[in-house]
Amino acid sequence: DAGITQSPRHKVTETGTPVTLRCHQTENHRYMYWYRQDPGHGLRLIHYSYGVKDTDKGEVSDGYSVSRSKTEDFLLTLESATSSQTSVYFCAISGRLAASYEQYFGPGTRLTVT
Amino acid sequence: GDSVTQMEGPVTLSEEAFLTINCTYTATGYPSLFWYVQYPGEGLQLLLKATKADDKGSNKGFEATYRKETTSFHLEKGSVQVSDSAVYFCALTGTASKLTFGTGTRLQVTL
């Protein structure tokens, strides 16, 4: 299994509070991704990174920001959490530039915003 | 933009039955195609992949063939087991190694 951990694994927070989720990898892979999983939608890309300090938006980036100051860590921040951001969040990594190479996923973080 | 359409679930089968989960896609160019599996409470695991037309991906008894003419990548298994119960996601990669997922198909296998 690829060395990917996510923290916390579960979090309950109140509307309007800031939340930061962490993804840590030990594979020295270049690409890192944040997805959210919701019933009826599959997984949707929030943001991704193609190197240290290099990030870009995915299809559902509103309300989220990311940072990558080290190869191994990719942080996802909800500046002011809303109930619509209740979801399961997955981090993924990929070591390859070519689109044919697969992504490896972390175990997920279940976030509930009350 | 790119999109993936999977058959609606849940799919309920008896053990040793034949499985087919349909997947069709829309994409520009020549995407790579994937099937991922998610067991309860876990992240997604790559099940199989195909990178060009007519390629067949296979793993753990599962197979899927990249059909460019019908833009399909249907997942099949000849004899399912209870341990195959999971959610299966079809996906493709387009630009910048970004995955586009289908909505997932839940498979329940009973004794």
Side-chain angles (χ1 to χ4, degrees):
Chain A
D1 289 345
I4 312 170
T5 57
Q6 293 183 233
S7 58
R9 293 293 314 279
H10 302 271
K11 186 170 182 66
V12 180
T13 192
E14 294 185 347
T15 297
T17 60
V19 176
T20 296
L21 309 183
R22 178 181 185 238
C23 177
H24 178 78
Q25 60 144 329
T26 58
E27 306 295 322
N28 200 34
H29 278 9
R30 178 181 178 185
Y31 285 81
M32 298 185 76
Y33 308 81
W34 278 107
Y35 294 89
R36 59 178 290 173
Q37 183 179 24
D38 304 290
H41 291 280
L43 275 78
R44 293 178 292 175
L45 182 65
I46 304 171
H47 282 280
Y48 67 101
S49 169
Y50 45 95
V52 173
K53 294 187 168 50
D54 292 324
T55 64
D56 205 351
K57 296 178 179 180
E59 65 176 299
V60 291
S61 59
D62 288 347
Y64 302 94
S65 63
V66 290
S67 66
R68 190 165 178 205
S69 58
K70 298 184 291 185
T71 298
E72 57 266 34
D73 289 327
F74 192 33
L75 303 181
L76 177 71
T77 297
L78 291 64
E79 300 291 347
S80 178
T82 68
S83 59
S84 65
Q85 294 174 313
T86 292
S87 187
V88 181
Y89 292 84
F90 287 99
C91 175
I93 64 175
S94 175
R96 303 288 187 166
L97 176 63
S100 61
Y101 287 95
E102 58 267 28
Q103 296 180 16
Y104 300 96
F105 285 79
T109 293
R110 183 173 295 276
L111 177 67
T112 302
V113 183
T114 61
Chain B
D2 298 342
S3 67
V4 175
T5 302
Q6 290 182 237
M7 60 188 293
E8 291 282 334
V11 174
T12 302
L13 295 173
S14 298
E15 200 170 46
E16 299 184 1
F18 185 86
L19 168 70
T20 299
I21 300 178
N22 291 336
C23 171
T24 57
Y25 68 91
T26 302
T28 56
Y30 302 93
S32 294
L33 303 174
F34 303 85
W35 278 100
Y36 281 85
V37 59
Q38 185 179 31
Y39 299 102
E42 299 184 9
L44 278 71
Q45 302 175 26
L46 178 67
L47 182 60
L48 53 85
K49 70 175 185 179
T51 58
K52 60 183 187 295
D54 300 324
D55 266 3
K56 178 185 284 188
S58 62
N59 186 26
K60 298 181 181 178
F62 291 90
E63 293 183 340
T65 301
Y66 190 148
R67 301 287 188 199
K68 191 171 187 299
E69 64 276 14
T70 55
T71 62
S72 65
F73 193 54
H74 305 321
L75 182 68
E76 297 182 335
K77 187 176 186 183
S79 176
V80 294
Q81 306 299 311
V82 171
S83 57
D84 294 326
S85 298
V87 180
Y88 292 82
F89 292 91
C90 186
L92 64 82
T93 53
T95 58
S97 296
K98 288 187 284 186
L99 275 170
T100 298
F101 285 90
T103 55
T105 303
R106 182 176 299 278
L107 171 66
Q108 179 73 42
V109 181
T110 59
L111 290 171

